Amino acid sequence: MIYIIDSISNYLIYLFIIHFGFRLNPRKNRLFIAASVLIMLSAGVCNAYFDTNSPIVYILWSALSICLFFNDRLGHLLVLSASLMYFTGIVDTFSVMLIQVVLTGGGVEGTDISWWMEPAYLLSFLVYLLVYLRLFKKNDVYLCDIKLTYKLALLMQGGIFQMFYNFVFAFFNENHAMYGPDAYAVFFISIWGAVYSIFLTLGLAIKNILSGRQNRELQSFMSMQKQQYDYQLQQSEALRRFKHDLVNHIGVLRELANQKKTEEIKAYIDTIWNIQNEFDLKIHTGDSSLDVIMNYYLYLSEKENIDFAVTGKLAGKTGFDMFDITTLMGNMLQNAMEAAVQTAIPKIRVEFIEHKKEIFIVVSNSVAEKMKKPKGFLMTSKKDTANHGYGLKNIAATVHRHHGEFYMDSIVENGQAMFKISIAIPRDAILKENGV
């Protein structure tokens, strides 16, 4: 029975690490999942029958169960299973040693304790859970995000620790009678230090990822600012050219007036008026900073033949600083344009709704096909997921920083698939954040 419990414990730990650490999802076909569970239980029964924990059986059932349970590339799953067997074996070794030292004074041979592996697995799981809660989930970083160099460092680091502790523990086990509690206390503390060093390595890897995200966010912001600046520079240059030619236009009108050509004068004035109208902001939201962004994306939409419409108006400035408003609206509209331009009838709708206590922003865009209801904000439809999706993360971070809420939905409007993001941000939170 103990072998079956051993297999189940390992199996659950594997599922936890792969699902929550590498963000892989189970297969949709329940037959594969059932086969995965059956293989794991069969391995436990096999070990129980032969009364041995065969490494070959362990390797086979671990690899097969993981490949059958999760939906991912076969090669990736095989590498994951091998790495997990190696790393979890190291952590299990630390846990086993701690329990044996604390409960039996070194070793379990000659004692009546036969349940020490189960507490060891529980202790190992608590380590993984602590890593997940304190490092990964807290920073929105996962094992799949960590660079390969850090992953290899963890494996090598753990392997060195295990070799050292195997030697020390064997010596303690054979000579425990000649050592007092102080020696075992040192042994206990040293194992804790080994685990802590793994936390430090993970912490460095996470800091590296967060630093990279911050740099990409800043680069994205600078890129958006440059694009908007270039647009404004282009408009300013066109306006200066128009003003430079204004004297000539007035001269032409004067000559037409002298010749009493009324219809020609009207036509010429209409031409000048249309040219002048191009320099005016076509969208007025009530916030000058927001106007720049909205009119820039209107300009881009017109170039891409995207139907761009804005409804609603704000009573005054939103209270956002330029960085936040560029990050929020720039990323939302950029994502909307990238999706809409791929559809037969490209369309973007922006709506501003202002209440006394909250500001609501809704951005809808046409999509190639109706998407499944998203599970969370941090998702991207692009194939290169390693280098995309940061716009969505930056939007979410900005909303959360201002204590707001967001909601995403995939709908069908007039027979056309649409993707919609709705954001609600308390006005007080914006003003407080920006010291207004």
Side-chain angles (χ1 to χ4, degrees), residues 19 34 40 48 50 52 61 94 111 133 136 142 144 154 174 218 231 233 242 244 259 269 292 321 325 348 379 425 429:
H19 180 64
M40 176 270 299
F50 291 103
T52 180
W61 83 253
F94 293 162
T111 71
L133 294 176
F136 294 149
Y142 300 94
C144 52
L154 285 170
E174 294 175 0
L218 184 59
Y231 167 69
L233 191 63
F242 174 75
H244 179 270
Q259 298 178 17
I269 290 175
V292 172
D321 60 26
I325 202 167
I348 297 176
M379 55 179 290
I425 300 180

Side-chain angles (χ1 to χ4, degrees), residues 228 285 287-294 317 320 322 325:
Q228 293 168 25
T285 63
D287 185 302
S288 56
S289 299
L290 187 57
D291 287 348
V292 172
I293 298 173
M294 298 305 299
K317 292 188 70 66
F320 281 111
M322 194 62 189
I325 202 167

Side-chain angles (χ1 to χ4, degrees), residues 37 42 52 75 83 97 103 135 149 218 244 259 263 309 426:
V37 175
S42 299
T52 180
S83 302
M97 289 178 178
L103 297 181
L135 295 178
T149 51
L218 184 59
H244 179 270
Q259 298 178 17
E263 294 301 322

